[in-house]
Amino acid sequence: MVLDVRPSPIAGHWYDGDPAALARSVDGYLDSAQLPDLEGEVIAVIAPHAGHTYSGAVAGYAFAALRGRSPDLVAVIAPMHHPYQELLITTAHDAYSTPLGDIPVDKEALNELDGILKSELMFGLSPVENDPEHSLEIELPFLQRALTSKWKLLPVMMRVREASISERFGKALGRVLRDKNFFLVASTDLSHFYNQQTALVYDRSMLNQMESFNPDGAFDLERAGKGFACGLGAFTAVMWAARELGADKVKVLRHATSGDVTGDYSSVVGYGAAAILKGK
């Protein structure tokens, strides 16, 4: 059977297009991560989604927390930065392609999620072809290098800025994953284009809401203009899903900004990595 594969629009631009070089660079980010002690089982991570040169070192902390694990299914929930009208978007293709190989999409899990959403929200997932979105794909090479199993992907891109939709989507996702061998990945960057000093204040406030396991608080913070995340709907949905699945703690693993890479602190983007844990 020939798979209908989504071609990568960002390989060779946002990350290395050569398979061997990409594997080396991702392994380097994973090797460099110095994780704290994590109390409990990691069931989800939050990771940034800029080009690997900018946020790869921070993303390495998130995916190092999954290294060596063997799931059957990985749900990657990301924002959609492009002007689609639909609120919840998935791929119409059978697989995602990166230079490290093809990743099959779990159409059965997507159909199950779509059915629950249609009954809960009155609308479901909108499949699209050849989407240009980077925020989901950018995480895939990390998963390909960190995980040891042949896993399938459940990809969703969100144009959601409403807490109620994010919560109901997250709880529906939790129901789909409950009896499966899974991991969850939330893709988000933090504040955009403030100076370093301001970014550190805004990012710390948002990371505090993550670590307090407070998705409602994250929405309140952004509404108040005191903290920002382009993947607000995505990471809060993953937090709600993780709660449904028994998680009880979030641990922030790393924070940095683009200025820490470029040396230009006048206008930076914030990057954070976190693990969502289920107590043993």
Side-chain angles (χ1 to χ4, degrees):
M1 174 180 160
V2 177
L3 291 179
D4 171 21
V5 179
R6 173 191 179 272
S8 169
I10 64 171
H13 305 286
W14 290 68
Y15 61 82
D16 206 303
D18 175 74
L22 177 59
R24 282 195 304 271
S25 68
V26 170
D27 288 352
Y29 294 132
L30 294 169
D31 291 341
S32 297
Q34 298 180 336
L35 295 178
D37 290 335
L38 298 175
E39 298 175 4
E41 177 191 359
V42 178
I43 66 170
V45 295
I46 300 170
H49 58 233
H52 285 189
T53 299
Y54 296 98
S55 68
V58 175
Y61 275 75
F63 294 103
L66 303 181
R67 203 171 196 182
R69 305 287 288 275
S70 302
D72 299 320
L73 176 63
V74 181
V76 181
I77 313 302
M80 169 57 78
H81 291 86
H82 300 273
Y84 289 87
Q85 297 303 308
E86 300 84 1
L87 293 180
L88 298 172
I89 297 163
T90 190
T91 185
H93 299 284
D94 298 325
Y96 271 72
S97 175
T98 84
L100 300 179
D102 295 342
I103 303 168
V105 171
D106 192 327
K107 291 297 183 78
E108 189 175 320
L110 278 176
N111 289 337
E112 184 182 352
L113 178 59
D114 183 59
I116 295 172
L117 291 170
K118 283 175 177 170
S119 106
E120 298 276 331
L121 289 172
M122 303 301 118
F123 66 89
L125 301 171
S126 299
V128 301
E129 294 182 347
N130 295 312
D131 72 88
E133 182 55 47
H134 67 275
S135 66
L136 195 149
E137 182 192 331
I138 202 79
E139 316 294 9
L140 301 182
F142 281 96
L143 290 165
Q144 287 174 297
R145 295 303 296 173
L147 303 177
T148 60
S149 53
K150 292 184 177 179
W151 47 278
K152 290 186 176 182
L153 177 67
L154 193 165
V156 180
M157 294 157 282
M158 304 178 67
R159 285 187 56 83
V160 171
R161 308 299 292 182
E162 295 81 27
S164 61
I165 296 176
S166 179
E167 179 176 4
R168 289 156 80 184
F169 169 77
K171 289 180 176 178
L173 180 61
R175 286 168 59 187
V176 170
L177 296 176
R178 182 167 288 130
D179 297 320
K180 296 178 173 64
N181 176 23
F182 72 91
F183 283 122
L184 275 159
V185 176
S187 175
T188 188
D189 291 340
L190 299 173
S191 65
H192 283 58
F193 311 133
Y194 296 95
N195 64 46
Q196 178 83 352
Q197 187 175 2
T198 304
L200 292 178
V201 173
Y202 286 152
D203 290 356
R204 176 42 55 193
S205 296
M206 188 59 78
L207 293 169
N208 284 344
Q209 296 303 320
M210 288 183 187
E211 205 151 47
S212 299
F213 213 157
N214 187 3
D216 281 317
F219 275 96
D220 291 341
L221 190 71
E222 184 155 302
R223 277 192 292 264
K226 296 181 178 179
F228 304 95
C230 59
L232 177 66
F235 86 75
T236 53
V238 165
M239 290 171 82
W240 271 304
R243 273 189 181 173
E244 283 287 297
L245 295 159
D248 53 13
K249 184 177 183 181
V250 180
K251 178 70 174 176
V252 172
L253 305 174
R254 190 72 169 172
H255 173 260
T257 73
S258 57
D260 299 321
V261 175
T262 65
D264 178 3
Y265 293 106
S266 64
S267 178
V268 303
V269 178
Y271 310 126
I276 304 179
L277 303 152
K278 180 178 180 179
K280 293 183 178 177

